Structure formats: structure tokens, C-alpha cells
């Protein structure tokens, strides 16, 4: 699906138009997988990767570098593949296992290319998952939390030109209800995206808490905006891998974050399986 976007003179320089690049990526995916249309798409962040092996039957796995506009992952613990699954419901799911983070410095177009490719592949539901820090002390490490809204503190937008994209009910209440039917114990929180790659100071976490943030991470908000621009419905899920800085006793480190993710993986995969079964 190609949304209306700004005049070409404004959005394009010598680069390829991002929606054309997404369409090229989608046609490569169709050619390699033999799947004409993918119904839903998922981006699996820290802790969520196992879902790719569990929620459906793998039709094809494509190295990210073989799909136009994608790059091999620069982050340890993040896989660099695009995978096509056939779900037990018969729907086709596209797993975008090649997330580009804002802090990699490739620009916002690269950050949202996976989401735009999902839309161009036909997906009308985009499931965005991540590992994140818990700002609200009510959220414990190892807990999955539904994202109900976000604060985009990156000072960037994936939308170019004079396109005033509406962001009300960005994380669709319909999908959140459906997720809570699958797992009634799921709590909801407001996600804050910061540029990273450093974690926050304790003072910054107190500030985020004061302005209404409950979960903090380095992805998802920009992707959600692009998904909305492309007309998709969005479900956001965070795995709390650590109490945010100053909330817990300990300093933060990436190895511990990955470890917390690993421990939660089977449970999260099973949760996602129950959610996608209802879509
Ligand atoms: I996993 O505490 C994970 N990602 N900004 N802060 C930020 N990103 C994160 C954190 C965190 N934990």
C-alpha cells in the first residue's frame, strides 16, 4: 500500500524513493517465497526471536542482504533475516528479522524500511516487539507489556513533506483487546523512544516518568508512525528486560539484557502464537 506523500521534489534527491524501494523489496520477497501476499508482519526485538520458530511453519528464510534496502544487522543478538511463515490459521506472516536502529546512523528511511516493505507485501497488521527498560516500577523484568501509546523523543519522523499523519489510537485498541483476550494478565504502558545507543541517566528516567513514560527503548515509535502512514493496524509489545536506570539497584549492561530476553523467549513465543491465532 502506497500512502500519499509529499511532492517528489521535496522527498527525493538523488536517492531512490523509499516507497519504490519498499515495493522492490516486496517483489523480491514474493519471488523468493512464492507467497503472493503476506497478511501480517512482525518485527521481533530482544527476547522475541523464538516466536519465528514457534508460531507457524517456515516457508522461506531470506538473508537480509538479498532483499533491496535491507542490511545485515549491526547488533549482537538481532538476526538478519526475512522469514515467511504459514500460520495455523492459514494466514501468511512476514518476520522482519533485520531491524535497523536509529542509532546506526543510516537515517530514518532505513529504520522504517522493514515496515514499509511489510505494507508493500500486503500486510494490514504490523506487530512491533522490542526489549525495553521499565520506567514504571509496576513492570518487572521478564514481563511482557502492551504498548498503548508512545512518546517519540528522537526529534525525527519517518514522514516526509507536508503530510500530517493522524496518530490517535496508533496502537489499535481493537488489537490490544484481542491481545488481552489471549492473555488477560497483560498490562499496558506508554513507550518512550530515545535515540540511544547509550542508556539513560537516573535523572532522565525521573524526567520520562514525570512526562508519562512507562517503558523506554530505542525502537518502535518511528516504526509505528511509518506503519500508520502506510495504513496498517499496529500492535506493540515490550519485553521488560531491565528496570530503567535508577529504578533498580544495578547498572545496565547489554549482556544482561540479552540474558533476560533469552530466559523469557519460550513464554513470549507462546504468547505471540496465541495472539496471532486470533487475528
Ligand atoms: I532491552 O533501559 C533495553 N533497551 N533506552 N533504556 C533504553 N533502551 C533499552 C533499555 C533501557 N533496555
Amino acid at each position: 500500500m502506497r500512502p500519499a506523500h509529499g511532492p517528489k521534489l521535496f522527498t527525493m534527491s538523488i536517492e531512490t524513493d523509499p516507497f519504490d524501494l519498499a515495493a522492490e523489496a516486496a517483489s523480491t520477497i514474493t519471488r523468493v517465497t512464492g507467497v503472493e501476499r503476506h497478511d501480517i508482519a512482525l518485527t521481533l526485538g530482544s527476547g522475541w526471536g523464538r516466536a519465528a520458530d514457534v508460531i507457524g511453519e517456515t516457508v522461506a528464510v531470506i538473508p537480509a542482504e538479498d532483499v533491496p534496502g535491507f542490511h545485515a544487522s549491526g547488533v549482537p543478538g538481532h538476526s538478519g533475516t526475512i522469514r515467511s511463515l504459514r500460520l495455523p490459521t492459514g494466514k501468511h506472516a512476514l518476520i522482519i528479522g533485520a531491524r535497523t536502529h536509529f542509532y546506526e546512523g543510516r537515517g530514518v528511511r532505513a529504520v522504517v524500511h522493514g515496515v514499509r516493505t511489510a505494507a508493500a507485501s500486503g500486510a494490514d497488521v504490523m506487530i512491533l516487539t522490542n526489549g525495553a527498560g521499565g520506567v514504571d516500577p509496576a513492570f518487572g523484568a521478564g514481563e511482557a507489556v502492551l504498548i498503548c501509546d508512545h512518546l517519540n523523543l528522537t526529534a525525527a519522523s519517518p514522514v516526509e513533506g507536508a503530510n500530517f499523519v493522524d496518530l490517535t489510537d496508533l496502537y489499535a485498541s481493537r488489537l490490544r483487546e484481542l491481545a488481552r483476550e489471549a492473555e488477560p494478565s497483560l498490562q499496558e504502558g506508554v513507550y518512550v523512544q530515545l535515540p540511544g545507543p547509550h542508556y539513560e541517566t537516573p535523572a532522565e528516567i525521573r524526567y520520562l516518568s514525570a512526562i508519562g513514560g512507562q517503558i523506554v527503548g530505542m525502537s518502535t515509535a518511528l516504526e509505528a508512525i511509518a506503519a500508520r502512514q502506510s495504513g496498517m493496524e499496529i500492535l506493540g509489545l515490550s519485553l521488560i528486560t531491565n528496570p530503567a536506570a535508577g529504578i533498580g539497584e544495578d547498572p545496565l549492561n547489554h549482556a544482561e539484557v540479552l540474558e533476560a530476553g533469552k530466559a523469557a523467549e519460550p513464554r513470549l513465543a507462546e504468547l505471540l502464537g496465541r495472539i496471532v491465532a486470533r487475528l
Side-chain angles (χ1 to χ4, degrees), residues 131-133 199-200 216-218 241-242 252 257:
Y199 294 122
E200 296 70 35
V216 62
M218 304 175 195
T241 58
N242 59 281
L252 276 48
V257 161

Side-chain angles (χ1 to χ4, degrees), residues 58 65 115 156 162 177 185 193 214 220 229 236 273:
T58 298
E65 314 83 87
V115 164
E177 264 169 48
S185 71
Q193 181 176 358
Q214 296 171 282
T220 304
Q229 181 189 20

Side-chain angles (χ1 to χ4, degrees), residues 13-276:
S13 51
I14 49 167
E15 293 172 70
T16 311
D17 176 272
F19 295 96
D20 289 343
L21 188 59
E24 261 184 62
S27 88
T28 297
I29 290 167
T30 297
R31 181 167 45 75
V32 177
T33 62
V35 176
E36 202 54 52
R37 174 179 186 270
H38 284 85
D39 307 286
I40 72 170
L42 301 94
T43 295
L44 302 177
S46 297
W48 297 89
R50 178 81 62 90
D53 302 320
V54 169
I55 67 173
E57 166 201 329
T58 298
V59 174
V61 182
I62 317 172
E65 314 83 87
D66 294 355
V67 183
F70 286 91
H71 310 275
S73 170
V75 189
H78 290 253
S79 83
T81 62
I82 312 277
R83 194 192 297 215
S84 176
L85 299 184
R86 191 169 186 284
L87 304 181
T89 55
K91 290 196 175 194
H92 293 279
L94 191 64
I95 310 276
I96 310 287
R99 183 178 246 156
T100 296
H101 288 86
F102 190 58
Y103 54 72
E104 292 174 60
R106 294 182 190 273
V108 186
R109 285 182 178 188
V111 169
V112 301
H113 179 61
V115 164
R116 286 177 174 157
T117 297
S121 300
D124 44 30
V125 169
M126 184 76 228
I127 301 182
L128 298 169
T129 69
N130 60 55
V135 174
D136 187 331
F139 302 148
E143 186 173 354
V145 178
L146 274 173
I147 301 175
C148 60
D149 205 343
H150 79 217
L151 295 165
N152 169 19
L153 299 192
T154 64
S157 173
V159 183
E160 301 177 36
N163 269 304
F164 307 109
V165 176
D166 170 62
L167 299 182
T168 48
D169 201 36
L170 182 59
Y171 300 88
S173 23
R174 186 185 79 87
L175 297 180
R176 279 185 277 137
E177 264 169 48
L178 201 140
R180 278 195 308 268
E181 280 168 28
E183 180 49 66
S185 71
L186 277 174
Q187 301 192 78
E188 298 197 346
V190 173
Y191 179 89
V192 185
Q193 181 176 358
L194 289 178
H198 55 274
Y199 294 122
E200 296 70 35
T201 64
E204 286 166 341
I205 294 301
R206 290 193 296 276
Y207 161 74
L208 296 183
S209 178
I211 65 173
Q214 296 171 282
I215 309 164
V216 62
M218 304 175 195
S219 65
T220 304
L222 293 171
E223 296 163 342
I225 295 167
R228 165 57 66 87
Q229 181 189 20
S230 288
M232 292 189 282
E233 248 187 322
I234 297 139
L235 180 69
L237 285 157
S238 288
L239 165 69
I240 308 299
T241 58
N242 59 281
I247 299 291
E249 310 275 286
D250 306 326
L252 276 48
N253 81 66
H254 187 61
E256 271 174 17
V257 161
L258 290 180
E259 216 171 283
K262 272 252 156 345
E265 257 179 328
R267 194 161 37 82
L268 298 178
E270 190 265 342
L271 170 65
L272 266 186
R274 275 186 289 133
I275 291 173
V276 297

